[in-house]
Protein backbone atom coordinates (compact mmCIF):
# COMPACT_ATOMS: atom_id res chain seq x y z
CA UNK A 1 0.00 0.00 0.00
CA UNK A 2 1.32 3.43 -0.96
CA UNK A 3 0.03 6.54 0.79
CA UNK A 4 0.95 10.24 0.92
CA UNK A 5 0.92 12.17 4.19
CA UNK A 6 0.54 15.97 4.06
CA UNK A 7 0.74 17.42 7.55
CA UNK A 8 0.51 20.98 6.23
CA UNK A 9 -3.23 20.20 6.06
CA UNK A 10 -3.29 19.35 9.79
CA UNK A 11 -3.29 15.99 11.52
CA UNK A 12 -7.10 15.84 11.63
CA UNK A 13 -7.60 16.44 7.92
CA UNK A 14 -9.48 13.43 6.47
CA UNK A 15 -6.57 12.66 4.16
CA UNK A 16 -4.19 12.25 7.11
CA UNK A 17 -6.59 10.84 9.70
CA UNK A 18 -7.62 8.33 7.04
CA UNK A 19 -4.11 6.87 6.97
CA UNK A 20 -4.28 6.06 10.70
CA UNK A 21 -7.75 4.59 10.17
CA UNK A 22 -6.43 2.50 7.31
CA UNK A 23 -3.68 1.11 9.54
CA UNK A 24 -6.35 0.09 12.05
CA UNK A 25 -8.65 -1.74 9.67
CA UNK A 26 -6.79 -2.94 6.57
CA UNK A 27 -6.49 -6.68 6.00
CA UNK A 28 -4.23 -8.78 3.80
CA UNK A 29 -1.44 -6.20 3.65
CA UNK A 30 1.57 -5.99 5.96
CA UNK A 31 3.51 -3.13 4.36
CA UNK A 32 2.67 0.54 3.90
CA UNK A 33 4.95 2.75 1.83
CA UNK A 34 4.66 6.26 3.30
CA UNK A 35 5.65 9.39 1.37
CA UNK A 36 5.58 12.54 3.49
CA UNK A 37 4.73 15.38 1.12
CA UNK A 38 4.85 18.20 3.66
CA UNK A 39 5.05 18.82 7.39
CA UNK A 40 4.25 22.54 7.21
CA UNK A 41 3.69 25.33 4.70
CA UNK A 42 7.02 27.03 5.28
CA UNK A 43 9.22 23.95 5.74
CA UNK A 44 11.16 23.07 2.62
CA UNK A 45 12.12 19.57 1.42
CA UNK A 46 14.78 17.87 3.58
CA UNK A 47 14.66 20.59 6.26
CA UNK A 48 15.31 18.96 9.68
CA UNK A 49 13.12 21.65 11.25
CA UNK A 50 10.21 19.42 10.31
CA UNK A 51 11.51 16.36 12.15
CA UNK A 52 9.59 16.94 15.38
CA UNK A 53 6.30 17.28 13.49
CA UNK A 54 6.88 14.11 11.48
CA UNK A 55 8.06 12.14 14.52
CA UNK A 56 4.95 13.09 16.49
CA UNK A 57 2.72 11.64 13.76
CA UNK A 58 4.93 8.61 13.14
CA UNK A 59 4.85 7.68 16.82
CA UNK A 60 1.05 7.42 16.61
CA UNK A 61 1.22 5.39 13.42
CA UNK A 62 3.89 3.05 14.77
CA UNK A 63 1.84 2.22 17.87
CA UNK A 64 -0.84 0.88 15.54
CA UNK A 65 1.70 -0.76 13.23
CA UNK A 66 3.37 -2.57 16.11
CA UNK A 67 0.06 -3.88 17.43
CA UNK A 68 -1.05 -5.05 13.97
CA UNK A 69 2.37 -6.27 12.72
CA UNK A 70 2.59 -3.75 9.87
CA UNK A 71 5.80 -2.28 8.46
CA UNK A 72 5.80 1.44 7.65
CA UNK A 73 8.44 2.17 5.03
CA UNK A 74 9.49 5.77 4.38
CA UNK A 75 9.32 6.54 0.66
CA UNK A 76 11.54 9.30 -0.70
CA UNK A 77 9.92 11.45 -3.39
CA UNK A 78 11.16 14.31 -5.55
CA UNK A 79 9.97 17.71 -4.20
CA UNK A 80 8.40 16.14 -1.07
CA UNK A 81 9.60 16.89 2.46
CA UNK A 82 11.19 13.43 2.58
CA UNK A 83 13.00 13.97 -0.69
CA UNK A 84 16.34 12.30 -0.03
CA UNK A 85 17.24 9.00 1.54
CA UNK A 86 19.28 10.88 4.14
CA UNK A 87 15.99 12.32 5.44
CA UNK A 88 14.51 8.85 5.87
CA UNK A 89 17.66 7.59 7.61
CA UNK A 90 17.54 10.54 10.01
CA UNK A 91 13.99 9.67 11.08
CA UNK A 92 14.70 5.94 11.36
CA UNK A 93 17.69 6.60 13.60
CA UNK A 94 15.69 8.91 15.84
CA UNK A 95 12.66 6.64 16.20
CA UNK A 96 14.63 3.38 16.32
CA UNK A 97 11.53 1.24 15.81
CA UNK A 98 11.52 -2.26 14.31
CA UNK A 99 8.35 -1.54 12.32
CA UNK A 100 9.87 1.49 10.59
CA UNK A 101 12.04 1.08 7.51
CA UNK A 102 12.95 2.57 4.15
CA UNK A 103 12.14 1.98 0.49
CA UNK A 104 15.11 2.80 -1.73
CA UNK A 105 13.57 4.58 -4.72
CA UNK A 106 16.02 4.50 -7.61
CA UNK A 107 14.19 7.12 -9.64
CA UNK A 108 13.77 9.61 -6.81
CA UNK A 109 17.42 9.18 -5.74
CA UNK A 110 18.50 9.90 -9.32
CA UNK A 111 16.09 12.81 -9.87
CA UNK A 112 16.75 14.54 -6.53
CA UNK A 113 20.51 14.13 -6.52
CA UNK A 114 21.93 11.10 -8.30
CA UNK A 115 25.29 11.19 -6.52
CA UNK A 116 27.11 9.01 -3.98
CA UNK A 117 25.16 5.85 -4.71
CA UNK A 118 27.54 3.67 -2.69
CA UNK A 119 27.36 5.91 0.37
CA UNK A 120 23.59 6.24 0.14
CA UNK A 121 23.03 2.49 -0.08
CA UNK A 122 25.36 1.90 2.86
CA UNK A 123 23.52 4.53 4.92
CA UNK A 124 20.06 3.06 4.28
CA UNK A 125 21.22 -0.57 4.63
CA UNK A 126 20.20 -1.03 8.31
CA UNK A 127 16.64 0.07 7.50
CA UNK A 128 16.25 -1.12 3.91
CA UNK A 129 13.20 -3.34 3.40
CA UNK A 130 12.18 -2.68 -0.22
CA UNK A 131 13.65 -1.30 -3.45
CA UNK A 132 12.14 0.00 -6.64
CA UNK A 133 13.89 0.76 -9.92
CA UNK A 134 13.20 2.73 -13.10
CA UNK A 135 14.97 3.61 -16.27
CA UNK A 136 15.53 7.37 -16.38
CA UNK A 137 17.30 10.23 -18.13
CA UNK A 138 17.51 13.87 -17.10
CA UNK A 139 15.02 15.68 -19.31
CA UNK A 140 12.88 18.80 -18.73
CA UNK A 141 9.92 16.94 -20.22
CA UNK A 142 10.16 14.23 -17.56
CA UNK A 143 8.42 13.99 -14.20
CA UNK A 144 8.60 17.25 -12.26
CA UNK A 145 10.48 18.80 -15.18
CA UNK A 146 13.56 16.89 -14.01
CA UNK A 147 13.85 13.33 -15.32
CA UNK A 148 11.92 10.68 -17.22
CA UNK A 149 10.41 7.48 -15.83
CA UNK A 150 10.97 4.68 -18.34
CA UNK A 151 11.49 0.91 -18.74
CA UNK A 152 14.68 -0.57 -17.33
CA UNK A 153 16.26 -1.12 -20.75
CA UNK A 154 16.59 2.62 -21.53
CA UNK A 155 17.93 5.76 -19.91
CA UNK A 156 21.09 6.97 -18.22
CA UNK A 157 20.38 5.88 -14.65
CA UNK A 158 22.92 3.13 -13.90
CA UNK A 159 20.66 0.39 -12.56
CA UNK A 160 23.44 -2.17 -13.00
CA UNK A 161 25.54 -0.22 -10.50
CA UNK A 162 22.52 -0.05 -8.18
CA UNK A 163 22.07 -3.84 -8.29
CA UNK A 164 25.77 -4.29 -7.65
CA UNK A 165 25.65 -2.12 -4.53
CA UNK A 166 22.58 -3.97 -3.25
CA UNK A 167 24.46 -7.23 -3.70
CA UNK A 168 27.45 -5.86 -1.77
CA UNK A 169 25.32 -5.09 1.30
CA UNK A 170 23.64 -8.50 1.11
CA UNK A 171 20.18 -7.18 0.28
CA UNK A 172 17.79 -10.00 -0.68
CA UNK A 173 14.40 -8.35 -0.26
CA UNK A 174 11.79 -7.35 -2.82
CA UNK A 175 12.79 -5.28 -5.85
CA UNK A 176 9.97 -3.66 -7.78
CA UNK A 177 9.62 -1.63 -10.97
CA UNK A 178 8.35 1.97 -10.79
CA UNK A 179 6.65 2.87 -14.05
CA UNK A 180 4.40 5.67 -12.85
CA UNK A 181 2.56 7.58 -15.60
CA UNK A 182 4.08 5.51 -18.38
CA UNK A 183 2.21 5.81 -21.64
CA UNK A 184 2.04 3.35 -24.50
CA UNK A 185 1.78 -0.42 -24.12
CA UNK A 186 2.16 -1.06 -20.39
CA UNK A 187 2.41 -4.83 -20.87
CA UNK A 188 5.25 -4.51 -23.38
CA UNK A 189 7.12 -2.14 -21.07
CA UNK A 190 6.68 -4.47 -18.10
CA UNK A 191 7.98 -7.39 -20.17
CA UNK A 192 10.97 -5.36 -21.38
CA UNK A 193 11.73 -4.21 -17.83
CA UNK A 194 11.55 -7.73 -16.42
CA UNK A 195 13.84 -9.07 -19.15
CA UNK A 196 16.32 -6.24 -18.58
CA UNK A 197 16.25 -6.84 -14.83
CA UNK A 198 16.90 -10.57 -15.17
CA UNK A 199 19.80 -9.88 -17.55
CA UNK A 200 21.35 -7.41 -15.10
CA UNK A 201 20.83 -9.88 -12.25
CA UNK A 202 22.73 -12.60 -14.13
CA UNK A 203 25.62 -10.27 -14.98
CA UNK A 204 25.92 -8.92 -11.44
CA UNK A 205 26.02 -12.48 -10.12
CA UNK A 206 28.66 -13.55 -12.62
CA UNK A 207 30.76 -10.36 -12.63
CA UNK A 208 30.05 -8.33 -9.46
CA UNK A 209 33.11 -6.11 -10.00
CA UNK A 210 31.58 -4.74 -13.21
CA UNK A 211 29.15 -2.73 -11.11
CA UNK A 212 32.04 -0.67 -9.72
CA UNK A 213 33.11 0.76 -13.06
CA UNK A 214 30.72 3.71 -13.13
CA UNK A 215 31.38 4.45 -9.46
CA UNK A 216 35.12 5.02 -9.93
CA UNK A 217 36.00 8.77 -10.18
Amino acid sequence: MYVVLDLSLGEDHPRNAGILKMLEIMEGCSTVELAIQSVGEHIRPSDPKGDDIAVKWLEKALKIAERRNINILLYTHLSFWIERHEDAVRLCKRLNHSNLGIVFCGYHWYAADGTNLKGTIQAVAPYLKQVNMSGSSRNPHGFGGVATIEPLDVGELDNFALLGQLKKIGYNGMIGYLGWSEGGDAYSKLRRSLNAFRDMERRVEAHPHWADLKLTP
Side-chain angles (χ1 to χ4, degrees):
M1 184 73 70
Y2 170 80
V3 294
V4 178
L5 177 71
D6 185 353
L7 290 172
S8 69
L9 303 173
E11 282 192 30
D12 296 329
H13 187 278
R15 173 173 165 178
N16 298 325
I19 296 175
L20 295 178
K21 181 67 173 177
M22 179 197 72
L23 291 171
E24 288 278 12
I25 65 174
M26 71 179 191
E27 299 291 343
C29 178
S30 61
T31 300
V32 173
E33 297 179 349
L34 176 70
I36 303 182
Q37 183 173 0
S38 174
V39 290
E41 291 183 4
H42 303 295
I43 301 177
R44 296 183 60 78
S46 299
D47 190 340
K49 291 179 181 177
D51 286 9
D52 288 347
I53 301 169
V55 164
K56 180 184 174 185
W57 188 91
L58 283 167
E59 286 175 339
K60 294 179 182 179
L62 286 166
K63 285 181 181 178
I64 304 170
E66 183 175 0
R67 174 163 44 83
R68 302 208 64 222
N69 196 29
I70 296 169
N71 283 322
I72 297 176
L73 307 185
L74 299 176
Y75 188 105
T76 59
H77 193 292
L78 181 68
S79 79
F80 280 19
W81 179 68
I82 293 188
E83 183 176 52
R84 298 169 182 265
H85 292 87
E86 296 94 317
D87 307 328
V89 170
R90 194 173 66 243
L91 291 176
C92 284
K93 284 182 176 178
R94 177 166 168 179
L95 285 157
N96 191 29
H97 197 291
S98 60
N99 291 84
L100 183 65
I102 294 175
V103 183
F104 183 86
C105 305
Y107 170 80
H108 291 288
W109 162 77
Y110 176 74
D113 185 87
T115 63
N116 192 25
L117 175 61
K118 181 177 180 179
T120 303
I121 292 293
Q122 289 176 341
V124 302
Y127 314 104
L128 185 60
K129 297 190 177 181
Q130 285 186 189
V131 173
N132 64 46
M133 301 170 63
S134 303
S136 182
S137 295
R138 297 192 181 280
N139 188 310
H141 300 293
F143 178 79
V146 176
T148 59
I149 299 176
E150 303 186 62
L152 294 181
D153 60 355
V154 295
E156 299 167 356
L157 197 171
D158 193 345
N159 282 304
F160 186 77
L162 171 56
L163 277 180
Q165 292 306 307
L166 292 173
K167 181 178 177 61
K168 283 181 183 295
I169 65 168
Y171 178 77
N172 58 6
M174 190 188 85
I175 298 178
Y177 166 62
L178 171 66
W180 189 85
S181 196
E182 284 259 40
D185 185 344
Y187 297 96
S188 172
K189 290 184 176 183
L190 284 170
R191 183 170 58 251
R192 285 167 49 195
S193 293
L194 180 59
N195 289 340
F197 177 78
R198 294 302 184 205
D199 281 345
M200 285 189 289
E201 245 187 346
R202 284 190 288 269
R203 286 194 294 276
V204 166
E205 189 64 32
H207 309 284
H209 63 285
W210 286 3
D212 291 332
L213 295 178
K214 287 288 187 74
L215 300 176
T216 302

